[in-house]
Amino acid sequence: MTINFKWLPPKLTAAFLICCISVSANSREIYKDPSQPVEKRVADLLNRMNLDEKILQLNQYTLGWNNNINNIGEEVKDIPAEIGSLIYFDSDPALRNRMQKKAVEESRLGIPIIFGYDVIHGFRTIYPISLAQACSWNPDLVKEACAVAAQEASMSGVDWTFSPMIDVARDPRWGRVAEGYGEDPYANSVFCVASVEGYQGENLADTTSIASCLKHFVGYGASEAGRDYVYTEISPLTLWNTYLPPYKAGVDAGAVTVMSAFNDISGVPASANPYTMKDILKDKWGFDGFIVSDWGAVNQLCNQGFAYDNKDATAKALNAGLDMDMMNHAYDRNLKELLEDGLIEMEVIDDAVGRILKVKFELGLFENPYTHLVEDRFLRSNSLETARRLASESMVLLKNDSLNVLPLKNYKRIAVIGPMGDDKKNLLGSWNAHGNPEDVVSWLEGLQNEFDSSHYEIKSEMGCDFDKEIEGAFDKAEDLAKWADVILVCLGEQNSWSGENASRSDIHLPTIQENLAQIVSSTGKPMVLVLSSGRPIALDNLEPLFNSIIATWQPGVEGGNALAGILSGRINPSGKLAMTFPRSTGQIPIYYNRRKPGRNNQGFYKDISSEPLYSFGHGLSYSEFEYSDLSLSADEIKKDDKVIATVTVRNNGNVPGKETVMWYISDPVSSITRPVKELKRFEKRNILPGETVLFKFEIDPVQDLAQVDSKGNTLLESGEYYIMTGDKSIKLRLTE
Ligand code: GLC
């Protein structure tokens, strides 16, 4: 059995030659020696493996009861000891350890399995959905939450999470907007890095670190008409400027795996696309981890009309750079024959196996293949505190009119009306791993915790179900509304209405919920809409009925305490939208960083406003922040100079508040048209009443002013730029 050298990256080639000599000389098992460099261990082990062992390393099956409703695959009986990876559906490490023991002790070379799982926004301590986390504009807090998720997951037998999801998305009909960090490439990049660092920690081999996975590579968020698993029309320019930047940030942050997407990228499906997976990811960016397919994405190439059969799909996927096959049973069933037919080269198989082994060595799985049981690994007090902080910082106060109903004051009788009022399950959101509804603090429970029963009376009625009537419930709700001094109308989506395979043709809430709001609003009492959803919701019918509106998203286990803290005023809301709220479904796609139109005063809708209901970056506070003195350290610089922009922000309110200053650039005239503005930096800080704080943005023209052309080359043109923040803007001239 021979292995060709020409494919080996240089550092591996040398290591490989040394290994071949040493193996032949003394067959010392270098791969078992942790003092050896990883590349030598990989080379030594590769040299020892036979073809069957190599092929099985490229496959991932499932272990445990599969609770992923979108992917109920055939249960694999008698899993071979040489399998490369398993998706682990249990939260107790015992089953994992039994399977790992089989791999380590019954296989010829004792190669450990890497166990993966969808730890998207928490493992058992469930945090707000990722879209909500982005609205916190607090990457440090997101990193903290991911570190807890990693701790709970790793102590439960999981080595690898299929997260972060960093698909820029601008169509809220698509259910998976819930899983990413919104419509902006820079925001997705920053939260991607925070997640990768949180999951992988300082050292991947630490017992509380897990491997991250950048997904879904690439452009999945452009899914046509907001449906799932469909075509995406992506120009090279859009690919480079919108969808790729978060992945580049994740690779640079050290993410060790990537997951290929379902979508067809303008005619070449992502899971068989050599341009994206090899030319860009592996060659241009130097990514030396491995790529795993999404579930069934290889065989789906046949449905997409890109492959004749699973064998053809296998050849196209592996030759395009897809290293591991998730639950297709394509690689294990076809690779040997493809090799014999000359349709796959051995060097391609070796490269893929080498990448997978590298990650397993870096995770320390050869030295520590088993998970040691730690009973009190879930819902620790510090984990819940992180959940509470992240939930409260991710909620967005969308409206608080002149009646200033919020924070609630002097209202003795509080009515909690609506299907979300005492709901727990749906606050967990989609992809809630091992989250348990019993762990969740509901809206009603949070209010009861927060508002002293000696001063306040809190009563609740459902009024209706999420999408259907409940006999007599409207009348009870109306009676309660008449009793109340203030009404909290708690509406929203079930958690199954967003996430994978959960597109909606209309982003309004069900009519029954809107009718409930109408009925209780007829009492004329102060009205607060508490909205829970996995996506932006069209509120054009509801907005006029309410004095205040708060978007809580799906905030996880501590949602009720976070909301109640905001409603009482103990917490000053600081969330800002990471995704635009359209006025109606018909406006979609609508997002802030759009291209400039040919006419500024024509081309609008004839039936509704062309402006969104709430824009990207919108979010109110109980404080009032005033921006002033935007200035530049120079108003003209050369391309290789740097310049510092500063702005002062004053809190004119009477309570401390956190403000996120967002810095945008605008390049009004360029050889390739650009968006009206582009987010390039943000910073969130607490500002005391009366305090003025200086915010800085050090501008590096190449990083912050340039765009990328359709070939992936940086394009930085001299001319006028504008630096914008708050309601301010200042001109900067860039010269050669
Ligand atoms: C699903 C999802 C992907 C997930 C994988 C494993 O189909 O698209 O995000 O990580 O399968 O559950």
Side-chain angles (χ1 to χ4, degrees):
M1 184 265 298
T2 59
I3 297 172
N4 303 304
F5 302 125
K6 64 177 175 347
W7 64 276
L8 275 171
K11 63 184 178 182
L12 265 182
T13 304
F16 198 81
L17 287 170
I18 293 164
C19 279
C20 290
I21 295 161
S22 60
V23 164
S24 56
N26 58 24
S27 70
R28 182 164 63 88
E29 294 175 315
I30 291 174
Y31 78 95
K32 290 184 177 175
D33 178 353
S35 69
Q36 292 293 325
V38 166
E39 53 265 23
K40 282 181 72 175
R41 300 180 75 182
V42 168
D44 175 58
L45 182 49
L46 259 180
N47 194 40
R48 297 170 186 274
M49 293 170 76
N50 62 39
L51 180 58
D52 290 333
E53 292 161 340
K54 289 180 180 178
I55 288 174
L56 280 171
Q57 278 301 308
L58 305 182
N59 288 269
Q60 180 183 67
Y61 301 154
T62 61
L63 180 65
W65 182 74
N66 175 9
N67 57 15
N68 180 340
I69 51 168
N70 295 310
N71 291 316
I72 302 295
E74 62 183 271
E75 172 128 15
V76 180
K77 305 290 184 197
D78 306 326
I79 294 173
E82 296 79 8
I83 191 66
S85 176
L86 294 169
I87 301 180
Y88 192 56
F89 284 104
D90 205 313
S91 63
D92 183 308
L95 176 61
R96 167 245 167 80
N97 287 339
R98 284 201 300 276
M99 186 61 224
Q100 190 73 299
K101 191 171 187 318
K102 179 176 178 180
V104 170
E105 297 182 8
E106 294 177 23
S107 71
R108 189 174 69 90
L109 295 167
I111 301 173
I113 297 165
I114 179 172
F115 293 85
Y117 188 56
D118 290 289
V119 188
I120 309 301
H121 53 106
F123 185 82
R124 170 70 186 274
T125 301
I126 301 302
Y127 292 103
I129 56 172
S130 302
L131 180 56
Q133 294 187 27
C135 295
S136 75
W137 299 95
N138 190 337
D140 291 341
L141 194 47
V142 167
K143 178 177 174 179
E144 194 179 301
C146 289
V148 171
Q151 169 261 308
E152 292 189 346
S154 61
M155 290 182 180
S156 302
V158 172
D159 310 303
W160 171 30
T161 177
F162 306 131
S163 175
M165 192 270 216
I166 49 177
D167 299 319
V168 173
R170 295 155 165 176
D171 188 334
R173 292 173 295 181
W174 190 49
R176 307 203 74 169
V177 298
E179 304 172 46
Y181 299 107
E183 70 190 44
D184 180 71
Y186 177 72
N188 272 276
S189 302
V190 171
F191 288 107
C192 168
V193 171
S195 302
V196 168
E197 292 175 350
Y199 290 134
Q200 300 192 172
E202 292 302 317
N203 182 338
L204 208 49
D206 287 348
T207 53
T208 54
S209 296
I210 56 177
S212 64
C213 182
L214 308 178
K215 76 181 188 183
H216 307 76
F217 190 69
V218 63
Y220 189 18
S223 290
E224 219 168 37
R227 292 178 51 213
D228 216 345
Y229 317 116
V230 294
Y231 180 74
T232 53
E233 183 55 63
I234 301 176
S235 69
L237 190 70
T238 301
L239 180 69
W240 281 102
N241 285 288
T242 300
Y243 297 110
L244 284 173
Y247 289 91
K248 179 65 168 61
V251 168
D252 291 348
V256 292
T257 76
V258 170
M259 181 184 292
S260 69
F262 290 126
N263 55 298
D264 173 347
I265 307 173
S266 297
V268 182
S271 292
N273 194 312
Y275 176 60
T276 52
M277 290 196 284
K278 281 171 69 176
D279 300 352
I280 297 175
L281 185 61
K282 292 182 175 178
D283 296 348
K284 184 178 178 75
W285 292 351
F287 174 66
D288 59 4
F290 71 85
I291 306 173
V292 62
S293 76
D294 201 339
W295 186 305
V298 174
N299 293 342
Q300 285 170 19
L301 296 172
C302 304
N303 301 340
Q304 289 167 309
F306 197 73
Y308 295 102
D309 54 26
N310 291 350
K311 181 181 171 187
D312 182 36
T314 300
K316 284 172 174 158
L318 187 61
N319 281 326
L322 181 56
D323 303 305
M324 184 182 278
D325 163 3
M326 178 193 287
M327 277 305 284
N328 288 281
H329 292 292
Y331 283 23
D332 52 356
R333 289 173 182 163
N334 295 295
L335 278 182
K336 197 172 273 190
E337 195 178 323
L338 286 166
L339 203 59
E340 288 155 6
D341 297 351
L343 296 173
I344 288 276
E345 298 290 327
M346 192 64 217
E347 66 187 31
V348 172
I349 291 177
D350 284 336
D351 177 65
V353 175
R355 289 169 177 272
I356 293 164
L357 295 178
K358 175 177 178 292
V359 173
K360 291 185 175 184
F361 281 119
E362 288 171 347
L363 273 167
L365 288 174
F366 283 80
E367 284 67 51
N368 298 298
Y370 304 111
T371 303
H372 305 294
L373 184 61
V374 175
E375 290 295 351
D376 74 330
R377 58 189 183 279
F378 299 140
L379 301 163
R380 293 174 174 171
S381 55
N382 63 315
S383 308
L384 293 173
E385 176 54 28
T386 301
R388 201 172 304 136
R389 287 166 50 218
L390 188 49
S392 57
E393 292 207 27
S394 60
M395 293 181 181
V396 185
L397 182 58
L398 296 175
K399 178 181 182 181
N400 200 26
D401 68 13
S402 56
L403 196 58
N404 279 319
V405 175
L406 295 183
L408 296 178
K409 53 192 179 300
N410 314 327
Y411 296 114
K412 181 172 176 52
R413 293 175 171 180
I414 300 173
V416 178
I417 295 174
M420 280 304 301
D422 199 19
D423 180 275
K424 288 170 172 277
K425 175 173 81 77
N426 295 302
L427 292 186
L428 288 172
S430 57
W431 293 105
N432 51 58
H434 293 282
N436 181 337
E438 290 314 305
D439 301 335
V440 175
V441 178
S442 69
W443 297 155
L444 186 59
E445 289 169 341
L447 289 162
Q448 288 162 343
N449 295 340
E450 183 80 20
F451 290 85
D452 185 335
S453 57
S454 60
H455 296 297
Y456 299 92
E457 271 188 276
I458 300 173
K459 292 185 179 180
S460 71
E461 284 292 343
M462 270 191 78
C464 66
D465 204 338
F466 284 90
D467 52 3
K468 54 184 174 296
E469 205 172 326
I470 298 173
E471 180 75 28
F474 266 20
D475 295 342
K476 289 178 183 173
E478 192 170 9
D479 292 344
L480 184 63
K482 288 172 182 168
W483 164 87
D485 298 324
V486 63
I487 306 167
L488 306 180
V489 184
C490 304
L491 307 178
E493 293 187 309
Q494 295 188 316
N495 59 351
S496 59
W497 295 1
S498 59
E500 182 180 358
N501 191 18
S503 303
R504 296 180 75 81
S505 69
D506 183 343
I507 60 167
H508 286 91
L509 290 179
T511 305
I512 188 80
Q513 293 193 42
E514 294 192 346
N515 291 345
L516 174 65
Q518 285 283 0
I519 285 173
V520 296
S521 73
S522 62
T523 62
K525 303 291 181 65
M527 292 267 286
V528 178
L529 172 58
V530 179
L531 174 69
S532 171
S533 65
R535 56 164 56 83
I537 296 293
L539 296 174
D540 51 338
N541 302 328
L542 288 169
E543 189 275 337
L545 306 177
F546 290 91
N547 303 101
S548 305
I549 300 174
I550 183 162
T552 66
W553 305 109
Q554 285 153 344
V557 292
E558 281 295 320
N561 288 328
L563 173 73
I566 289 173
L567 296 180
S568 73
R570 173 173 58 81
I571 296 169
N572 191 349
S574 61
K576 292 179 183 283
L577 292 179
M579 190 169 182
T580 300
F581 262 60
R583 208 170 283 275
S584 82
T585 307
Q587 286 187 319
I588 295 169
I590 183 168
Y591 49 94
Y592 90 89
N593 40 358
R594 62 191 180 284
R595 286 306 197 278
K596 302 176 277 283
R599 295 187 180 187
N600 291 317
N601 53 7
Q602 287 179 291
F604 305 125
Y605 294 119
K606 298 305 181 195
D607 54 342
I608 62 169
S609 159
S610 296
E611 290 306 307
L613 185 59
Y614 300 113
S615 298
F616 175 89
H618 174 74
L620 303 177
S621 166
Y622 295 148
S623 304
E624 292 151 32
F625 297 111
E626 181 189 7
Y627 286 56
S628 60
D629 305 327
L630 172 60
S631 61
L632 292 169
S633 56
D635 54 17
E636 180 172 305
I637 58 170
K638 290 187 171 53
K639 288 181 179 180
D640 54 4
D641 289 342
K642 288 190 179 165
V643 65
I644 294 177
T646 55
V647 70
T648 55
V649 180
R650 189 176 194 281
N651 179 353
N652 292 330
N654 52 23
V655 290
K658 294 186 177 83
E659 173 65 349
T660 300
V661 167
M662 297 181 172
W663 292 97
Y664 298 88
I665 68 107
S666 168
D667 180 1
V669 180
S670 46
S671 60
I672 301 171
T673 63
R674 298 183 70 171
V676 290
K677 64 180 183 177
E678 300 164 51
L679 181 68
K680 293 296 180 183
R681 194 79 76 255
F682 61 83
E683 184 184 359
K684 184 174 192 177
R685 291 169 68 175
N686 193 50
I687 307 178
L688 300 175
E691 184 185 15
T692 296
V693 171
L694 185 74
F695 288 79
K696 282 187 183 178
F697 170 21
E698 183 173 21
I699 298 165
D700 170 346
V702 173
Q703 179 186 323
D704 301 312
L705 301 181
Q707 63 174 317
V708 183
D709 69 16
S710 56
K711 292 185 172 52
N713 303 316
T714 299
L715 178 62
L716 179 60
E717 296 176 308
S718 52
E720 282 181 10
Y721 291 81
Y722 286 87
I723 312 303
M724 309 152 89
T725 186
D727 56 352
K728 310 294 179 198
S729 174
I730 191 167
K731 183 160 69 176
L732 170 68
R733 280 197 58 75
L734 193 65
T735 60
E736 292 301 330

